Amino acid sequence: MAGWCWAVCLGLCPVAWAAPPARMWEGLENQLEDAVARRALLRARLTADPTAADADLLGSEILALNQSVRQTERALSYAPTVPVSAEPFDPVYRGPVPESAKRVARIKPAIWAGLTEDERLAIAAKWRVELLHAGRYGWIADAQTVDESTPGTSGGAYTGAMLGQAAYIDRAFRPGNNYSAGVQVLAGVLGAVAGSAMDRPPTRSFRTRYHVRTEDGSMVVEDQSRSDAFRMPLSTCVELPSLSDSDPSLCSQTIEMVRSKYL
């Protein structure tokens, strides 16, 4: 009853607050210590694998522990500590992002050198920086496509049908056997099915040879094969040797663009 009265008085009458009994004080300190330790453990697990299946559950429990810690600190009249973030990639509370979880930031060396030391450190803390050599990206200057498709074959099925019928006719006219036109047709069908295993279906293949002018002035030739005749238009910005056009901003990258995208 005394504990209940103390709790009510703490919540409704802050002016008349008095320190809880020594045993209750010790219990609150143990509760605070356990909550802080549990919160640190969950934060470490979330940091180790921010994309784990239980990442959302870890974040929810961290938020609940933040509230519990704050309430206990208030009951003990302790100065409030900084809450722990439940965001997996929070740069303030979670510490350095693990290398395995960082996304790649492709930046030109000249632009990287133009950033301040603080800016480079801030980007490297969240991103895995990859400095792009001027010969690893450029603009498509020319493209030529060759149709390398091959037609299907049916000679195996035809040959199988002829051999099946010939074998049946050869046996049918031997002494003791009777000839049947229907069985001859069936023998031809079965022979065609067996012979079709040697046939080849038609394939569609188009090979495009791209000439890419890189930023260092070189002309690089790369081939790309596809099942259709599509090809990228001239002046498209691509990476080499993959010919990926997923980041067209690479060729026109500026220091302002890097700051806006990665800081």
Side-chain angles (χ1 to χ4, degrees):
M1 187 67 180
W4 178 84
C5 292
W6 172 80
V8 172
C9 199
L10 175 64
L12 301 179
C13 309
V15 177
W17 179 86
R23 182 174 300 179
M24 184 177 295
W25 188 284
E26 182 179 355
L28 289 172
E29 286 187 324
N30 291 337
Q31 177 181 328
L32 178 62
E33 183 178 348
D34 291 343
V36 170
R38 174 66 177 171
R39 186 175 61 177
L41 175 62
L42 296 180
R43 182 69 248 183
R45 286 175 53 188
L46 191 59
T47 300
D49 189 1
T51 59
D54 62 344
D56 291 339
L57 294 176
L58 293 176
S60 298
E61 189 171 350
I62 288 172
L63 291 177
L65 286 169
N66 281 337
Q67 184 176 3
S68 176
V69 167
R70 185 67 192 96
Q71 289 175 346
T72 308
E73 288 172 338
R74 188 178 293 112
L76 290 167
S77 194
Y78 287 173
T81 56
V82 178
V84 172
S85 175
E87 293 296 326
F89 294 99
D90 193 309
V92 178
Y93 302 115
R94 74 180 301 274
V97 178
E99 286 296 321
S100 59
K102 289 182 179 179
R103 290 176 292 172
V104 175
R106 295 185 296 274
I107 303 175
K108 297 179 182 180
I111 292 179
W112 180 254
L115 297 170
T116 67
E117 182 66 21
D118 289 342
E119 288 173 332
R120 289 196 291 267
L121 290 174
I123 293 174
K126 296 185 291 183
W127 301 82
R128 189 167 70 251
V129 178
E130 180 181 315
L131 298 181
L132 277 182
H133 186 272
R136 288 187 55 191
Y137 60 92
W139 301 264
I140 295 177
D142 186 39
Q144 299 173 343
T145 302
V146 176
D147 187 352
E148 296 182 337
S149 303
T150 57
T153 60
S154 58
Y158 178 79
T159 301
M162 293 300 100
L163 291 176
Q165 293 185 68
Y168 169 74
I169 293 172
D170 184 57
R171 288 193 301 270
F173 286 98
R174 291 176 184 174
N177 293 330
N178 296 319
Y179 171 77
S180 169
V183 177
Q184 179 185 344
V185 173
L186 178 60
V189 172
L190 293 176
V193 171
S196 65
M198 297 183 294
D199 289 331
R200 192 172 60 245
T203 60
R204 288 174 55 82
S205 178
F206 298 87
R207 179 166 59 90
T208 300
R209 173 159 293 179
Y210 290 100
H211 291 74
V212 180
R213 184 175 298 282
T214 60
E215 188 161 293
D216 62 4
S218 302
M219 187 68 75
V220 179
V221 178
E222 294 287 348
D223 287 355
Q224 184 183 69
S225 295
R226 297 175 55 96
S227 60
D228 55 60
F230 170 84
R231 66 186 182 191
M232 292 179 285
L234 303 183
S235 299
T236 299
C237 179
V238 295
E239 293 183 60
L240 297 172
S242 65
L243 291 173
S244 170
D245 60 343
S246 60
D247 190 357
S249 65
L250 283 177
C251 297
S252 57
Q253 190 179 77
T254 63
I255 195 168
E256 289 77 14
M257 292 169 59
V258 168
R259 285 169 173 155
S260 174
K261 185 174 181 178
Y262 298 120
L263 284 176

